[in-house]
Amino acid sequence: MKILSIETSCDETAISLVEAKGKIDSPSFSVLGNALFSQIDLHQQYGGVFPTLAKREHAKNLPPILEKVLTEAKSFKTAKNIYSEELWNEIEEILKKEEGLYPNFRALLEPVEKPEIDVIAVTLGPGLEPALWVGISFAIALGKLWNIPVIPVNHMEGHIFSVLTNDNKKKIGFPALALLISGGHTELVKIEKLGSYKLIGKTVDDAVGEAFDKSARLLGLPYPGGPEIGKLAEIAREKNLPHNAKLPRPMLHSHDLNFSFSGLKTAVLYYLRDHFDYLTENPKELSQDEKADLAREIEDAITEVLEIKTKKALENSDFKTLIVAGGVIGSPRLRNVFQNFETIYPDLSVKIPEKGLNTDNSIMIACAGYIRVLLDSEILTYPQQIRAKGNLELE
Ligand code: KG4
Ligand code: ZN
């Protein structure tokens, strides 16, 4: 089955054409075409993602990204006058809220043959609603033009299934535990079987990626902060710098599986205020070593909380697989810590997405879309009203 997948939930515009094969316990995927445009540079000046800007950029970038993907997949063949004016009117209506998208959509696709695609999978949520809508409208317009079914995909299910492109020798065993760590989410999810989820822990305030990003901002580091903190922390370890900075490990010993990270950035702020006159007229400049020491402490505090809570969750049930997914698992330190769980728990297999698939992408949306089709092939035929859901939860 050939799946065209579209992801626009945040600041990445991504499209892939993926060929999916195999049964539900051994799916396999080959990427025929893939393109991703990150808006990080644009949002950097705001220290985070600015929703209306993200929406406008998605609308601008989707047609050229689609062209790149179809060209890479050798599915971009010219044709003449194959679509009626009536059909174009319907498509204009579908795209009317997405500034500038219709003329570019038409210019790109009017002279092109319908490619060999069986289904279009698009991110429904969670995410920024204005951004989600662009991808959804684009997917519906493509489905209309080419007469192909469009199915909605939960972005978090996408993160979970981002591990399906790993080598398939190790299947996901059930029950599985997923630790989802991104800029918007920090969740522990029990997966009884494919498609059946129970949230057993989550952040009560900031997500872990937010804690990295906000702390990094206080240190004057660019967005996204996670990788910047990680690089500095590594310098502190290599130089074996003294541990001067001390930060709390929020909710480490609470009896539940919830997290809290907003106190961490406040603790960073207080540390800077108390030791470097931050918030006064003459704040002291931190040396590179002082920055590295604080970055290491931030990373250690986050790592310890994630590690201990995940261990606690593993005591809950006879979990066979641990999946750790989401942007934050790009951290080499966290990857090491969780990979090492296979030594601590010999019966547990640990799955972490391949490099590049931990942050938002559309390949994971194709993987999750395929699983949805395998779970219920009728989703390809029943008519659906796809509406963006910013707060969509796993269920
Ligand atoms: O999953 P993602 O790409 O987007 C969301 O759905 O939120 O996650 C983005 C988050 C950002 O907060 C970023 O700082 C963090 O992932 N991140 C990292 C690393 N790469 C991205 N955090 C720590 N280490 C990394 N290497
Ligand atoms: Zn994400």
Side-chain angles (χ1 to χ4, degrees):
M1 163 173 275
K2 285 191 183 167
I3 304 171
L4 184 81
S5 54
I6 300 168
E7 157 65 37
T8 63
S9 68
C10 193
D11 58 347
E12 256 92 34
T13 320
I15 302 181
S16 315
L17 184 57
V18 173
E19 176 143 37
K21 286 186 183 152
K23 298 213 175 92
I24 197 135
D25 61 346
S26 55
S28 68
F29 302 91
S30 39
V31 179
L32 309 175
N34 179 47
L36 180 147
F37 179 81
S38 172
Q39 306 171 10
I40 281 181
D41 292 348
L42 279 169
H43 295 282
Q44 235 162 17
Q45 55 188 307
Y46 304 102
V49 181
F50 198 66
T52 46
L53 179 61
K55 175 184 164 77
R56 214 178 321 133
E57 283 297 305
H58 287 312
K60 190 173 94 191
N61 296 328
L62 280 166
I65 288 180
L66 178 67
E67 180 176 9
K68 211 167 154 209
V69 171
L70 293 180
T71 307
E72 190 185 332
K74 302 195 172 47
S75 299
F76 206 70
K77 301 188 182 117
T78 49
K80 260 192 188 154
N81 297 331
I82 42 178
Y83 306 113
S84 69
E85 205 51 45
E86 204 182 337
L87 182 59
W88 286 118
N89 289 340
E90 285 181 62
I91 286 173
E92 185 169 19
E93 184 63 24
I94 294 168
L95 296 176
K96 70 178 177 209
K97 289 196 181 137
E98 314 307 337
E99 201 185 310
L101 186 51
Y102 172 69
N104 294 340
F105 181 99
R106 182 166 179 171
L108 175 71
L109 297 170
E110 189 160 26
V112 172
E113 220 176 74
K114 174 189 164 179
E116 248 184 73
I117 294 170
D118 301 293
V119 60
I120 299 168
V122 64
T123 304
L124 177 73
L128 305 168
E129 282 200 2
L132 288 162
W133 267 120
V134 192
I136 291 172
S137 304
F138 190 70
I140 295 174
L142 286 175
K144 184 93 209 164
L145 183 72
W146 293 334
N147 195 20
I148 297 174
V150 181
I151 59 168
V153 169
N154 183 315
H155 179 83
M156 300 316 286
E157 203 172 32
H159 276 301
I160 291 174
F161 293 132
S162 63
V163 299
L164 287 180
T165 60
N166 296 10
D167 74 75
N168 263 339
K169 279 175 228 124
K170 284 189 290 178
K171 291 179 183 171
I172 299 180
F174 297 99
L177 176 68
L179 171 67
L180 304 176
I181 42 178
S182 70
H185 290 81
T186 307
E187 292 179 347
L188 279 162
V189 181
K190 182 174 182 180
I191 311 171
E192 286 289 359
K193 56 183 176 109
L194 282 180
S196 155
Y197 308 101
K198 188 170 173 224
L199 193 65
I200 57 172
K202 63 172 183 165
T203 180
V204 296
D205 42 51
D206 288 355
V208 61
E210 247 178 308
F212 269 125
D213 296 337
K214 289 178 178 172
S215 304
R217 205 172 175 197
L218 290 169
L219 273 169
L221 302 169
Y223 171 85
E228 302 292 327
I229 299 256
K231 277 183 245 161
L232 275 173
E234 221 26 66
I235 294 174
R237 285 186 201 106
E238 272 164 22
K239 290 177 136 181
N240 202 13
L241 295 176
H243 287 261
N244 292 327
K246 295 270 185 298
L247 296 171
R249 274 59 175 154
M251 286 179 79
L252 190 62
H253 298 297
S254 71
H255 292 295
D256 53 22
L257 296 172
N258 289 336
F259 304 88
S260 163
F261 287 107
S262 73
L264 198 63
K265 65 156 196 284
T266 314
V268 172
L269 179 69
Y270 289 170
Y271 178 77
L272 292 170
R273 182 195 64 187
D274 296 345
H275 297 83
F276 298 94
D277 299 339
Y278 202 81
L279 302 177
T280 67
E281 271 178 25
N282 292 310
K284 287 187 203 139
E285 183 87 23
L286 273 78
S287 70
Q288 193 68 2
D289 282 1
E290 284 163 340
K291 272 191 186 176
D293 170 44
L294 182 53
R296 176 183 55 189
E297 178 64 5
I298 293 166
E299 194 179 58
D300 283 350
I302 287 176
T303 304
E304 212 175 306
V305 172
L306 293 175
E307 186 184 352
I308 301 284
K309 288 280 167 166
T310 307
K311 284 182 173 167
K312 196 178 227 170
L314 286 171
E315 288 164 12
N316 256 3
S317 210
D318 183 21
F319 288 111
K320 306 283 191 302
T321 303
L322 170 67
I323 295 170
V324 192
V328 177
I329 198 58
S331 152
R333 181 144 185 95
L334 282 167
R335 285 178 105 89
N336 272 341
V337 163
F338 286 112
Q339 207 61 66
N340 193 42
F341 272 34
E342 287 196 344
T343 315
I344 305 172
Y345 305 96
D347 296 333
L348 185 76
S349 109
V350 177
K351 285 184 169 277
I352 292 174
E354 285 168 18
K355 244 185 165 359
L357 292 190
N358 59 304
T359 45
D360 289 349
N361 66 85
S362 47
I363 295 173
M364 70 184 196
I365 301 303
C367 295
Y370 187 53
I371 297 296
R372 278 285 144 200
V373 173
L374 293 179
L375 285 170
D376 175 15
S377 60
E378 283 186 17
I379 58 167
L380 295 176
T381 47
Y382 53 62
Q384 338 203 16
Q385 268 249 326
I386 305 180
R387 306 184 60 79
K389 291 199 178 97
N391 296 320
L392 183 67
E393 298 208 342
L394 275 171
E395 54 187 39

